[in-house]
Amino acid sequence: VQECADVICEGKILGVVNMRSECGPRALGNRSILCDPSIPDMKDTLNAKVKFREWFRPFAPMVRYEDRNKYFIFDGDSPYMSFACPVRETYRDELSAITHVDGTARLQTVKESDNPFIYDLLCELEHKGNIPILLNTSFNIKAKPILTTVDDALGILRDTELDNVYIEGKLF
């Protein structure tokens, strides 16, 4: 967790292959690409270096459940990115990589019991002085499904400018 947090704090882009594969329209932390949403132009950097997708597509934030109201106007629970909620105005500029043009974000709340690795990573980011929010997007590239295999993850690491990939306890 500490090494992954260091990667993110350095402004690098991290792919994650952890635990069981996810099934559905969104990556929820086990097959994700993560980075720091407070870095200016991170959205454009991620699109240009790894995702190769349209500039206007938004990225989603992951936040600890207990921090959701500090950064967002949202009282509920959103473990599956089911809700778009307003980003608090005081954070919209600082979190521009996850804030859509209408001032909202498709929020994922994370509880320790849901995903201990992501929860601990968010805690470590805060410990290092960063905002404890991750930009989260599916671990895939344009026109491809979310990956399921280690070989796919290493292929994206090899064929794009993804900086690191975390696979079941190992950082590559």
Side-chain angles (χ1 to χ4, degrees), residues 4-16 29 32-51 53 58-63 94-98 117-118 121-122 125 130-139 161-164:
C4 290
D6 288 341
V7 165
I8 291 167
C9 289
E10 291 169 8
K12 294 180 179 177
I13 301 169
L14 174 70
V16 173
S32 290
I33 296 174
L34 306 173
C35 53
D36 183 348
S38 70
I39 295 174
D41 302 320
M42 181 51 83
K43 179 180 171 182
D44 296 332
T45 301
L46 181 54
N47 273 327
K49 291 175 74 173
V50 182
K51 294 292 281 189
R53 66 183 202 168
F59 289 116
M62 298 174 108
V63 65
E94 193 169 6
L95 296 172
S96 62
I98 53 90
F117 172 76
I118 295 296
L121 183 56
L122 290 164
L125 291 173
N130 280 33
I131 293 177
I133 295 177
L134 289 163
L135 181 157
N136 175 33
T137 188
S138 55
F139 199 162
E161 293 181 61
L162 181 69
D163 295 300
N164 294 89

Side-chain angles (χ1 to χ4, degrees), residues 120-131:
D120 289 348
L121 183 56
L122 290 164
C123 291
E124 186 64 22
L125 291 173
E126 182 178 51
H127 177 74
K128 292 179 178 299
N130 280 33
I131 293 177

Side-chain angles (χ1 to χ4, degrees), residues 89-101:
E89 274 197 53
T90 53
Y91 291 102
R92 286 183 185 172
D93 288 339
E94 193 169 6
L95 296 172
S96 62
I98 53 90
T99 303
H100 199 48
V101 294

